[in-house]
Each structure stands twice: as C-alpha cells, then as structure tokens.
Amino acid sequence: MAKNEWINGYLEAILDAGASNDNKKNNNNGFEERNSVSKEESFFKFSPTKYFVEEVVNSFDESDLHRTWIKVIATRNTRERNNRLENMCWRIWHLARKKKQIECDDSRRLAKRRQEREQGRNDAAEDLSELSEGEKEKGEASQADSLKTKIPRINSDMYMWSDEDNAKRLYIVLISLHGLVRGENMELGRDSDTGGQVKYVVELARALAATKGVYRVDLLTRQISSPDVDWSYGEPIEMLTRPSDLDTQLSGDSCGAYIIRLPCGPGDRYIHKELLWPHIPEFVDRALAHIVDMARALGDQIDGGRPIWPYVIHGHYADAGEVAARISGALNVPMVMTGHSLGRNKYEQLLKQGRLSKEDINSTYKIMRRIEAEELGLDAAEMVVTSTRQEIEEQWGLYDGFDLKLERKLRVRRRRGVSCLGRYMSRMVVIPPGMDFSNVPTQEVLESDGDLTSLIGTDRTHKGSNLPPIWSEIMRFFTNPHKPMILALSRPDPKKNVTTLLKAFGECRPLRELANMTLILGNRDDIEEMSGSSSSVLTTVLKLIDKYDLYGQVAYPKHHKQSDVPQIYRLAAKAKGVFINPALVEPFGLTLIEAAAYGLPIVATKNGGPVDIVKALNNGLLIDPHDQKAIADALKKLVADKVLWLECRKNGLKNIHRFSWPEHCRNYLSHVEHCRSRHPTTRLELALKVEEPMSDSLRDVEDLSIRFSVDGDVKVNGDLDAVARQKAVIDALTQRRQRPDHMSAVNGGVNYCPGRRQRLFVIAVDCYDAEGTVAADELRVIIEKVMAAGQSDHAGRTGFVFSTGSTLAETLEALRSCHVAADDFDALICGSGSEVYCPWKDLAADVDYGAHVEYRWPGANVRSVIPRLAKIENGAEDDLSGNDEACTSRCYAYSIKPQAKVRRIDYLRQRLRMRGFRCNLVYTRASTRLNVLPLFASRAQALRYLSIRWGIDLSHMVTFVGDKGDTDHEEFLVGLQKTIVIKGSVAYGSEGLLRGEESYKKEDVVPIENPNTVSVEEEFVTDDISAALESVGMK
C-alpha cells in the first residue's frame, strides 16, 4: 500500500512541511541537518513519515484521506496548503487515537466473551462428564425408550441417496429472501444483494427438481413490484423447470421447480436486506399460508388427500434462516440452513478496521439483528451446510450457539445412546456448491492434449478457424505464446494477493524462462477512476512488471466478458499451463473448480476452502500465500514436470464430478436424511374451510406451478388446455374431507366447528398492577367491549381467544374476577404460549400442540441453571426463585422479588446457548415472573398453530394488546394479523428486561409504519373497534 503514488505524495508533503519549519528555525541549515541525522537518533524524534506509515497507511482505508490530499495538491497558495497539511496531520492523529480506543474496547470485549464461552463449555462438560458403566446402560435404555416414543436417534451409518428413492415424491422448500431472484438473465452484481447466492439457489432448485425422489421444489423469495426493477420480479410465480424439461428416466415423476414470490414490506419499493428485518414476520406468515395450501393441493393430488408437508425447509442467509426457523417451528418439519456469509465474522472484521464504532456498525449494517437471526437458525436447524471446514471452525465457531468440541461430544453421546441432558447443537456438514458443467465441452477437454502449435503457428498465424477473440487479446502480450501459461483470475483486491504472485514470478528466472503469466483482474478503462484498493493493486502490478522487466512475459488485458472466461481456461489448458489462486484467505475457491473442469492443474492458498478442494480433486499443490519462494517452487514444479502435470490433469477431470450438481444433491439429500431427527407432522389435520380463500400464491387458477402439478391434458406444442387445467386445479384445491361436527356449544347453544369461524379476536392485553396481580377491573372492561364488537354480526363468525403469560388456574381465576365465563372463548393460550386449552373440550389441553412445541425442550435439565444465570453479580440469593405452583411440564416459572435486578432476556438466551440449551424466555406479570418454555413455544406461534388447525387465515385474526406488556409484546405488532393497540390499558410492562443497549433496536423488529396496526384510546367503545377494523381492511 505504501507504494501508491498519492501516499508517496503524502510523505513528501509532510517532509516538505517539516523542512520548511526547520528552515525558519535553523537559517536554512535544517534540511542538511535532517539528512545527517542517524537512523538510531531518528527514533527519539517525531518522524511524520514513520508515524504516517505505521499508524495510517497500514491501518486505514485510504479513501477519505485521499480525498483530503486531492484538496491539498489543488491548493496553489503555500500558506493555505500548509494549513491544510496541518489539519490533515491532526486528522491522522485523531483517527489513530480513535482506532486505538476501538481496538482496546474490542480487545476487552473479546476477552470477556472468550471467558464467558469457556465458562459455558466448562459447565456443559461438567454435566456431561463420563458416566459409569451402569449409568451408561441405564441411560441407553431410558434414552432408547424415550426416542422410540418421540424422536428417532440419528444413526452413525450415513444413509446414501440412491436410485431406489425415486418413489419418495418429496416436497422441498428453499428460501432466499433478499436480492433480485429470477431464473433467466440474472442481474448478478447489480447490487450487493444480488450476487452469487442468487445464482446458487436458482441452480440448486433446478438440480433438486431433477433428482430422483424429489417431486416438487419451491424457491420462496420476495415479490417486488417497483418501477426501479424489471417487471418479472413482480410476477407471483416463475417456472424454473417443467416436467417436460426433465428426463423422466432420470428424475422420476416430478412436477418441477418454481420461484414463488411473496409480498413482504413495501411492495412498490426495492429495499436492501438491511431494511428487511422488520418485515420478516410478514414473510413468515405468507410463506406459511403458501406451504399449507401447497401441502393440501399435493396431498389431494398424489396422496389420497393427506397433506404432503415439506421434507425439509432450507433457509439461505440470515434473513431466510430466521424465516425457515419460524416455519419449521410452526409446521414441525426439519430445517436446514446455509449462512453464505456470516454477520459475526463481518462484525469482528469491521471492528478490527477501527473506522467504525460498535454503534455505527450496528446502525449501518443492522449487524446485531443479523447475528440474532443466525443464532436462531442455529437453535432450530437440524443441519448447517457449509462450503469448507474453515467456515465451521473459524466462522461458525464465533457463535454462542455452536461450539465444535461440545458438538462432537454431544454427537458421540447420541451415537452411544447416552442422554445429552437436554443439550443440542446443529450438525455442521461440508457440502461444496455444485457447478453446471453442461457448457464444458467434455470431449474437447479430453482430446486437448496437443499444444498450441496445432492451432497457432510460430509466426502467430492461425491454423484453425474461429479462434476465440480473447485468445488473440491475451497472446498479443507474449514474445513466445507457446510457453505454458500461469493463469490467475480474480478481482484486483489486495486480499487476492496478486502482487506477491507477480514478485514470485519476477524474482525466479527459471520460472520466467519456462512459462508466461496471464493476469485477468476484472475490467478497467482508466485506473485513476477506479476505487482506491483496485487502483492501488493495478498500479502496483504495472510497476512490478516494469521493475522486473516482464514485458513479453505477462499478459494483463483490460477487458473481458463473462462468456470469455471458459475460453481463457481452454487457452491455458492448451498451453499446458497452471491455474493459481494465491489469496491470503479463500473462503471457498470456485475458480479452482472451474479451472479443474477444463483440465488445468492448480496451485492454491493453504488458507480456507482450497484445502478441501485439492484433497477432493488431488490435482495440485497448496502453498503459503506469504512465501514467494514456495509459490515459485510450486509453479515451477508443475510446469517443468510434465508427468506430474498430466497426472494432476487426469485426477482433476476424473474427480470433478464431486462438484457437480447431481453429486451435490445426492450428498445433500443423504445428509438431510441422516440428520432428520423428526418427521413431518402427517398427523396434523387441516380443518374444513367454508368458502375458504386461497392464499395469494395459489389464488390465480392460471398459476403455472399448479397447472403442471395437476394431471390433465397437455397439447402437443407444450401449451396447456386452459379449460381442463382450470377445472382440475379448482377440483384439486377445493376437495376436502368431511369431518363430524362434534364440537360443543358456546354461543346460544349452536353447535360449531372452529373451522367455521371466519375470524378470531385475540385478547392479549397484559393488565397487571405493580405487584404482578391481574388488574381485573381494566381487563373486564376490555373483554366486554371486544366481545360486544365481535358478537355484533350475530352469525357466530367471530371466535375469541384469550392469550396470557399466566397459568391455566390463574387465567380461570382472572376470568372469574372479570365475571367472564371461560366457555366464551374458543381457546386459552397460557404460560406465554406453552399450553393451549380448549374450553369447548372441557378445558382439555391440546395434546397435539404440546407434542408440537416440546421438540428440543431440555426439561428439568435447565431448571437449576436459570437461577444461576438470571441473577446479577452481588444480587440477593432470593432475588429470583422457582415458583413450583406456576410450573408445568413445558413451562418453568420463576418469581422475581420486587425491586430485584435480574438479567435481560438477550443475556439469558446467550448464556443458555453457550451451554447447549435452546429455550424461549419471557418476563411476564409486570416483571415479577420469568417463564422458561420450549424453543418453539410462544403466543405468536400458538396463533400460527391455530390458524393451520382451524383453517383461519392469519390476516383474519385481530389481536388486542396494550401499548406495553410482557417481553413478547413485540411479536403481536408484526406479521399478517391485524393489531389494535389499546392506549393506556397497561400500566406496568416488562419490556425493559428484553434487550440491552448493545443489542438491536425495536425498529429492527417492528416496522415504523405498519398498515395492519391501529390504536384506540383507553375509553374506547364498540364503534371505535368497528372503525379500527375497517381502517385495517376488516369489516
């Protein structure tokens, strides 16, 4: 970096300024004295050059300082120029001091975090200490019995996907929320959100749909109807593959892959991923509605009316990971996550740069919100797909919810049948991304052992016709174009380490005599107009070429197209060359696989993904990217030893199939089958819907995805018989099994089924006094007015649900004190969502819901841990104590002494994750009680469960809440349900114990403007509710 021209100018200007000051003091002798100062003496004087290099050049992004320097050199007046230099030097000093402060704070934070994680690991290790032989046998027996009734144990033998799985007919859901996603003409690189992930998920969907045993693949993403983007991103459905596109002999019976676009957030604007967080619950609800409708349609089509639930739900990136986790919890189906890039790793890197404080990083990148989504994904995922082992150890290893040593210990215990004592960690698996080799001319690659002389003569004349133009563009640089070619292809980024490669080439004469070098470093018109880092790299490259006199030996074309890249690989292979990736760290190394597909041996950095690639392909050498001699020796070895070169070439071509999409899909499905520790809830019954509307994604009977999924006539030219298809779709989606009407009476003795309710009013107002006692008078008024508004239709279309953090006994007592009968409600959601009771079933607990949410519930294993973690240092012993009367099998309650200080929810959740526990935590009853429940239990998830079971769309649910409440209060302010906030109805809330100052903000969870939320005053009347309902689109 210090060789940049503008930095040299900086140094000269600072020295000139110093010389000018010395001249004033020493009568023009200062310059000579400065030159005579010895190197040792200079350490005892302030050296602006040394200071600048050490504190700025090696520490900061130079773009801001560079702009200042442009102003300096543009100033003609010497006095003003010196003033600017003085201001610039002051700024340098200020930035250096700020950086050191940030580094110091970050160092303390990391040390504290390491200590906390170590403590969590030690606590878990102590509990999981080796059992005696007798305890092992007992543990194995009890664990086996438990797993037989609940969850099957993961077997140690890997199940391999095979041709026999053709009859499975799996439904797979992929989710990639942000960016611009479409199947053709992808706008990769348009912005930071539309990159390699978009290409990856689209190709994965196509590849899975072509795999035996997979019936349908849906790729869910955001619908964008904005004039700023192409109209195609607003289409609800896009077909990626049709049954006619797939070879039925290879893929079996499949109805293809589809992109399903769901509205999320402002529909008329394209917003970046950092602004999508408050709209995640809306996407969850819409995705849930689509999946339920699709499960019903597929069940009617191929399984005799039983819903076909997703085999797996796969979230890509943090935002989709959170969506997948919520849906997984609502449907009780397995979830898989791929991080692509991770927030905590980015957070640590930004802190190390020292330019932004934690607050600035959080506000700019919403990084803490992203990290929490990734932690939730770890909580819920059966499996996390990574590209390399380095990603597991150095990136996922930074998270609270994953510890490599603890995960291995838990895995061993599961294999032995020994209890894990309620602890769980996701399984990390390395499955490299697949590649489409259909465009690689396999036969030509296999037959390309001849050298370039067969195509290009010694006088550069072309012996063949139609040679690619990029070949001529590259070979014009070379004095002898027939020498083997060393090829490097990357962005002009300092991290790609191209300058070290060029130095290694320039300083090794034998290598220069053996080979040429081609550097494909993006596209450029004018280096000076490029970004600071790119300009710096390219300028250094040109200087090194001149320094080592590499003219005629190094090619560095200014332009190339994406379609030219395969031809560049072909040229290097024809020249019997080598591909090199010398990056300081390479997360994966896709170019290495591309080069191998064209028969090129490879030399790659030993840091990151290339280690796994070279091990799999066995077609090259690994090098230390900092060691110039090692780089030169590895290149020289491959270029000079033709036997070794040919062996690496053959190995690469022989093993490249390991990185193909079919191989990726087989590995993927094998790992999913291996890690499935629960099954889709086929027992989950869907209620009969009366005149039920389909969700937006299925409403249009012209929907191609359904038309191809339903048996019917297809015309010869591939078009559909519209009349036949529409009839088939309508029949398939409206068929419903008849169920007996056995529900008891609630309103006027009229028998009803919950599925006949067309809307639900949910009363979730957390009315308590300062001691945590129910404020009966205020609650009674609210219940009476809400019920009066709901019963005004006189048709029984409106059902009522009471949702609270209290136990069933406390809830019934509260209703009695309000003079309200429990039978007036269709459901009571108690214990902050840990239990659902049905008054029309004699207050029986919903057994299915209980089994639904208890997955990963640590039970009694976590009970004694909570008091130790929740109390603050130096707090009283009885600040927090167990409340046995309020405990149930799926909710442990703890009483909090008045005025006692306890830990916030985010702190407790973090510490539990470090110990392998996955729980949901809620402070309720005006911060006088802490409820600890299963991960997937919550009042919001209970409503989603009722929506599925009773067939009532979430958009037809209305929740009544106060302007404050329990720590789960925010969950009622988001999503598709309508929310009416009753101002002033809650005097004491618990939201102060939700998050700390360093966590994300409320606006990262709740949209600032939500059309589904409206407020009414505390003294509201029935007409006010009617007006509020009309304002949110309900009548």
Side-chain angles (χ1 to χ4, degrees):
M1 188 181 296
K3 291 185 180 293
N4 290 354
E5 285 294 333
W6 69 270
I7 291 183
N8 289 333
Y10 258 130
L11 302 179
E12 292 171 4
I14 294 175
L15 292 175
D16 288 344
S20 176
N21 292 333
D22 288 341
N23 285 339
K24 292 180 182 179
K25 295 181 180 179
N26 300 311
N27 298 322
N28 297 324
N29 293 325
F31 186 78
E32 296 176 359
E33 291 181 8
R34 179 170 58 83
N35 282 335
S36 65
V37 174
S38 67
K39 186 175 181 180
E40 290 78 8
E41 291 172 340
S42 67
F43 282 98
F44 299 98
K45 292 188 176 183
F46 173 72
S47 170
T49 304
K50 180 175 180 294
Y51 182 84
F52 184 87
V53 172
E54 291 182 350
E55 301 295 342
V56 180
V57 176
N58 293 330
S59 307
F60 289 97
D61 178 0
E62 66 270 20
S63 55
D64 288 345
L65 291 171
H66 184 227
R67 282 193 289 269
T68 305
W69 174 238
I70 294 298
K71 295 179 181 178
V72 170
I73 61 175
T75 304
R76 296 182 179 275
N77 183 280
T78 304
R79 181 188 298 268
E80 185 176 351
R81 175 176 175 176
N82 289 339
N83 289 339
R84 286 179 178 271
L85 284 170
E86 182 179 351
N87 292 335
M88 186 183 67
C89 292
W90 170 262
R91 184 180 182 187
I92 292 171
W93 175 82
H94 176 73
L95 287 174
R97 186 176 64 170
K98 178 182 177 182
K99 181 178 185 297
K100 287 186 176 180
Q101 181 63 46
I102 292 175
E103 286 178 343
C104 183
D105 293 343
D106 186 42
S107 178
R108 286 196 293 264
R109 180 187 62 82
L110 288 176
K112 182 180 179 182
R113 178 175 170 77
R114 280 194 296 269
Q115 183 179 4
E116 291 170 344
R117 294 194 67 189
E118 187 66 27
Q119 181 63 47
R121 186 188 303 119
N122 292 340
D123 289 350
E126 184 177 347
D127 290 343
L128 295 171
S129 58
E130 199 67 34
L131 302 178
S132 67
E133 290 301 320
E135 290 173 319
K136 286 181 185 178
E137 294 175 2
K138 181 179 178 181
E140 290 171 0
S142 61
Q143 182 77 354
D145 292 341
S146 174
L147 292 174
K148 284 179 182 178
T149 57
K150 294 183 180 179
I151 302 166
R153 179 171 62 88
I154 297 175
N155 297 321
S156 58
D157 296 330
M158 170 65 73
Y159 171 85
M160 297 307 298
W161 202 258
S162 66
D163 295 346
E164 297 177 359
D165 297 295
N166 188 36
K168 287 195 173 183
R169 293 188 172 187
L170 305 180
Y171 173 38
I172 295 176
V173 175
L174 309 178
I175 306 173
S176 184
L177 186 56
H178 63 263
L180 299 171
V181 182
R182 65 182 179 189
E184 303 296 336
N185 301 318
M186 289 178 275
E187 300 182 76
L188 303 181
R190 169 179 172 141
D191 53 53
S192 59
D193 291 356
T194 309
Q197 179 181 327
V198 171
K199 185 172 184 288
Y200 173 84
V201 295
V202 170
E203 291 185 353
L204 175 60
R206 286 190 174 118
L208 284 171
T211 303
K212 292 183 177 182
V214 177
Y215 186 74
R216 178 183 172 107
V217 179
D218 281 345
L219 170 55
L220 309 187
T221 190
R222 179 173 177 253
Q223 184 183 38
I224 307 166
S225 302
S226 169
D228 298 331
V229 299
D230 190 76
W231 63 270
S232 59
Y233 300 112
E235 289 296 296
I237 292 180
E238 177 183 345
M239 181 181 299
L240 292 176
T241 59
R242 300 178 301 173
S244 57
D245 295 334
L246 304 173
D247 186 343
T248 56
Q249 297 298 320
L250 295 176
S251 62
D253 185 11
S254 172
C255 70
Y258 306 88
I259 296 176
I260 307 295
R261 298 187 180 92
L262 305 173
C264 174
D268 58 344
R269 287 190 293 120
Y270 173 52
I271 59 178
H272 291 288
K273 59 180 178 291
E274 289 81 10
L275 302 179
L276 278 175
W277 293 112
H279 309 291
I280 292 291
E282 178 189 354
F283 192 90
V284 171
D285 292 343
R286 293 191 187 277
L288 194 60
H290 167 79
I291 292 172
V292 170
D293 284 341
M294 184 55 63
R296 184 183 283 116
L298 293 177
D300 288 341
Q301 179 184 343
I302 63 176
D303 200 21
R306 292 184 301 176
I308 302 295
W309 298 111
Y311 178 72
V312 67
I313 297 176
H314 190 161
H316 294 267
Y317 194 77
D319 47 14
E322 178 171 332
V323 173
R326 301 293 184 192
I327 297 175
S328 170
L331 296 178
N332 205 27
V333 298
M335 173 213 166
V336 171
M337 180 178 178
T338 300
H340 291 277
S341 67
L342 299 181
R344 195 173 286 282
N345 184 59
K346 181 173 184 177
Y347 182 52
E348 301 297 343
Q349 294 297 325
L350 289 171
L351 285 175
K352 286 179 181 178
Q353 291 178 7
R355 292 186 57 82
L356 297 174
S357 65
K358 290 183 290 186
E359 293 76 14
D360 294 336
I361 294 172
N362 201 16
S363 62
T364 303
Y365 299 100
K366 309 297 181 185
I367 204 76
M368 302 311 294
R369 181 68 180 85
R370 174 178 169 183
I371 290 173
E372 175 56 30
E374 290 162 340
E375 293 281 11
L376 178 62
L378 284 175
D379 289 342
E382 301 288 346
M383 179 177 82
V384 176
V385 177
T386 68
S387 299
T388 65
R389 299 191 183 279
Q390 180 264 352
E391 182 182 343
I392 298 174
E393 297 168 1
E394 299 182 16
Q395 297 186 44
W396 282 113
L398 298 173
Y399 284 77
D400 301 323
F402 180 76
D403 182 271
L404 188 58
K405 293 181 181 178
L406 184 56
E407 190 274 335
R408 287 173 177 168
K409 182 174 291 190
L410 294 174
R411 196 181 342 146
V412 169
R413 294 177 70 90
R414 285 198 300 271
R415 287 177 179 175
R416 288 168 41 199
V418 178
S419 171
C420 291
L421 304 181
R423 289 171 167 83
Y424 176 86
M425 283 195 176
S426 298
R427 177 73 184 273
M428 298 276 171
V429 298
V430 178
I431 309 178
M435 282 192 62
D436 183 6
F437 299 124
S438 60
N439 295 324
V440 179
T442 307
Q443 191 63 28
E444 180 181 337
V445 171
L446 293 174
E447 296 175 354
S448 63
D449 290 338
D451 56 28
L452 280 176
T453 55
S454 62
L455 298 174
I456 303 172
T458 55
D459 57 353
R460 296 177 182 269
T461 58
H462 295 183
K463 295 183 178 180
S465 58
N466 300 324
L467 292 183
I470 191 65
W471 286 21
S472 300
E473 175 64 20
I474 290 173
M475 287 187 293
R476 70 181 178 87
F477 285 89
F478 299 136
T479 303
N480 181 3
H482 294 94
K483 291 183 352 184
M485 179 191 297
I486 298 169
L487 173 63
L489 190 154
S490 69
R491 302 188 313 273
D493 189 314
K495 293 179 291 187
K496 297 302 180 181
N497 201 32
V498 178
T499 54
T500 302
L501 168 64
L502 200 52
K503 289 177 184 177
F505 183 72
E507 294 177 7
C508 182
R509 180 173 294 275
L511 182 60
R512 297 203 310 268
E513 293 174 352
L514 282 170
N516 294 323
M517 177 173 286
T518 298
L519 302 177
I520 307 297
L521 303 176
N523 292 285
R524 64 185 185 276
D525 290 315
D526 188 344
I527 292 178
E528 292 183 356
E529 295 179 357
M530 301 179 72
S531 65
S533 60
S534 298
S535 175
S536 170
V537 170
L538 290 169
T539 301
T540 304
V541 165
L542 295 177
K543 286 186 174 183
L544 289 172
I545 291 173
D546 186 74
K547 176 181 178 180
Y548 296 111
D549 193 15
L550 300 178
Y551 300 106
Q553 295 175 290
V554 177
Y556 42 96
K558 295 184 68 170
H559 299 99
H560 72 281
K561 302 175 184 176
Q562 187 64 31
S563 58
D564 291 332
V565 173
Q567 303 301 338
I568 297 172
Y569 289 130
R570 286 183 59 215
L571 176 60
K574 284 284 187 184
K576 297 188 181 300
V578 176
F579 182 83
I580 180 168
N581 181 337
L584 298 176
V585 177
E586 182 59 65
F588 180 61
L590 197 59
T591 54
L592 295 171
I593 299 174
E594 292 175 347
Y598 286 88
L600 277 170
I602 60 177
V603 174
T605 177
K606 67 177 184 179
N607 299 328
V611 175
D612 296 322
I613 293 175
V614 172
K615 182 179 179 181
L617 296 179
N618 191 25
N619 71 330
L621 303 172
L622 296 173
I623 48 92
D624 180 351
H626 300 282
D627 189 339
Q628 292 182 26
K629 186 176 183 303
I631 294 174
D633 289 346
L635 291 170
K636 187 169 57 174
K637 184 175 182 180
L638 279 173
V639 171
D641 190 340
K642 296 305 180 184
V643 175
L644 177 61
W645 184 92
L646 186 60
E647 181 183 355
C648 288
R649 169 185 169 81
K650 290 181 177 178
N651 288 341
L653 292 174
K654 180 179 68 174
N655 298 321
I656 194 64
H657 69 90
R658 298 185 181 184
F659 295 93
S660 67
W661 275 119
E663 186 70 14
H664 175 96
C665 291
R666 281 192 291 270
N667 287 335
Y668 172 81
L669 292 171
S670 298
H671 279 291
V672 170
E673 182 67 23
H674 180 64
C675 288
R676 277 170 55 93
S677 56
R678 56 180 172 170
H679 297 285
T681 50
T682 53
R683 68 180 183 277
L684 185 59
E685 297 180 2
L686 300 176
L688 172 67
K689 288 187 179 181
V690 179
E691 299 179 357
E692 73 175 38
M694 290 182 285
S695 67
D696 293 340
S697 60
L698 295 177
R699 183 175 292 126
D700 188 356
V701 294
E702 294 290 340
D703 176 358
L704 291 178
S705 72
I706 299 299
R707 288 191 290 168
F708 274 106
S709 302
V710 181
D711 293 334
D713 296 329
V714 182
K715 295 183 179 179
V716 175
N717 62 2
D719 295 334
L720 301 174
D721 186 327
V723 175
R725 282 301 189 186
Q726 290 182 15
K727 184 178 185 302
V729 170
I730 294 173
D731 291 343
L733 295 180
T734 56
Q735 277 185 346
R736 296 294 178 264
R737 298 183 301 279
Q738 296 298 321
R739 295 175 56 192
D741 190 11
H742 61 276
M743 309 298 182
S744 60
V746 171
N747 295 314
V750 179
N751 292 333
Y752 77 99
C753 166
R756 292 180 178 176
R757 300 295 197 190
Q758 296 183 22
R759 63 181 184 179
L760 286 181
F761 282 8
V762 183
I763 301 174
V765 185
D766 304 315
C767 292
Y768 304 104
D769 59 23
E771 286 73 36
T773 305
V774 174
D777 293 339
E778 291 83 352
L779 183 60
R780 176 179 55 80
V781 172
I782 292 172
I783 293 175
E784 289 177 350
K785 292 181 178 179
V786 169
M787 285 191 163
Q791 293 169 348
S792 60
D793 55 23
H794 303 295
R797 296 185 305 118
T798 303
F800 299 95
V801 174
F802 190 77
S803 181
T804 176
S806 302
T807 65
L808 175 63
E810 292 169 334
T811 301
L812 295 176
E813 178 60 31
L815 293 177
R816 279 193 292 269
S817 64
C818 295
H819 307 293
V820 177
D823 289 347
D824 291 341
F825 294 94
D826 293 338
L828 303 177
I829 300 173
C830 301
S832 300
S834 61
E835 305 280 356
V836 173
Y837 297 93
C838 304
W840 42 271
K841 286 186 177 180
D842 299 325
L843 284 175
D846 191 316
V847 178
D848 282 346
Y849 180 76
H852 197 77
V853 301
E854 69 178 356
Y855 180 70
R856 290 188 189 163
W857 171 231
N861 297 292
V862 78
R863 193 166 189 173
S864 61
V865 177
I866 295 296
R868 186 168 71 248
L869 297 179
K871 295 174 184 176
I872 64 171
E873 297 178 5
N874 302 321
E877 188 66 27
D878 60 345
D879 280 352
L880 184 143
S881 57
N883 186 339
D884 294 338
E885 293 182 356
C887 288
T888 66
S889 60
R890 283 180 289 273
C891 178
Y892 293 141
Y894 301 84
S895 297
I896 302 170
K897 190 172 64 175
Q899 308 303 320
K901 293 183 179 180
V902 291
R903 299 290 188 183
R904 291 184 174 90
I905 291 294
D906 59 350
Y907 178 95
L908 286 173
R909 187 183 292 119
Q910 181 186 49
R911 269 56 183 182
L912 287 173
R913 283 169 173 159
M914 290 177 179
R915 289 157 177 80
F917 293 121
R918 315 291 170 169
C919 301
N920 187 21
L921 304 105
V922 179
Y923 281 109
T924 183
R925 300 179 73 92
S927 302
T928 63
R929 181 180 295 175
L930 170 65
N931 286 341
V932 181
L933 8 153
L935 174 65
F936 295 124
S938 71
R939 292 197 283 177
Q941 287 291 78
L943 293 182
R944 292 188 175 113
Y945 171 83
L946 293 178
S947 171
I948 297 171
R949 287 300 303 267
W950 292 358
I952 301 176
D953 195 275
L954 281 164
S955 62
H956 296 161
M957 291 188 180
V958 184
T959 57
F960 294 83
V961 300
D963 45 10
K964 61 179 71 172
D966 297 349
T967 51
D968 60 355
H969 177 259
E970 291 176 354
E971 296 182 6
F972 292 109
L973 305 178
V974 292
L976 283 183
Q977 79 271 7
K978 318 301 181 185
T979 302
I980 297 180
V981 180
I982 304 174
K983 294 182 177 179
S985 58
V986 177
Y988 302 94
S990 306
E991 62 276 3
L993 291 173
L994 180 56
R995 289 185 292 269
E997 295 180 357
E998 295 185 356
S999 185
Y1000 53 91
K1001 309 301 179 184
K1002 182 177 180 179
E1003 55 266 27
D1004 298 331
V1005 182
V1006 180
I1008 297 177
E1009 296 181 2
N1010 188 352
N1012 292 332
T1013 300
V1014 65
S1015 299
V1016 297
E1017 298 300 326
E1018 185 178 8
E1019 295 79 14
F1020 70 95
V1021 295
T1022 303
D1023 290 342
D1024 294 330
I1025 295 181
S1026 300
L1029 292 175
E1030 188 171 349
S1031 68
V1032 294
M1034 292 189 67
K1035 295 181 180 180

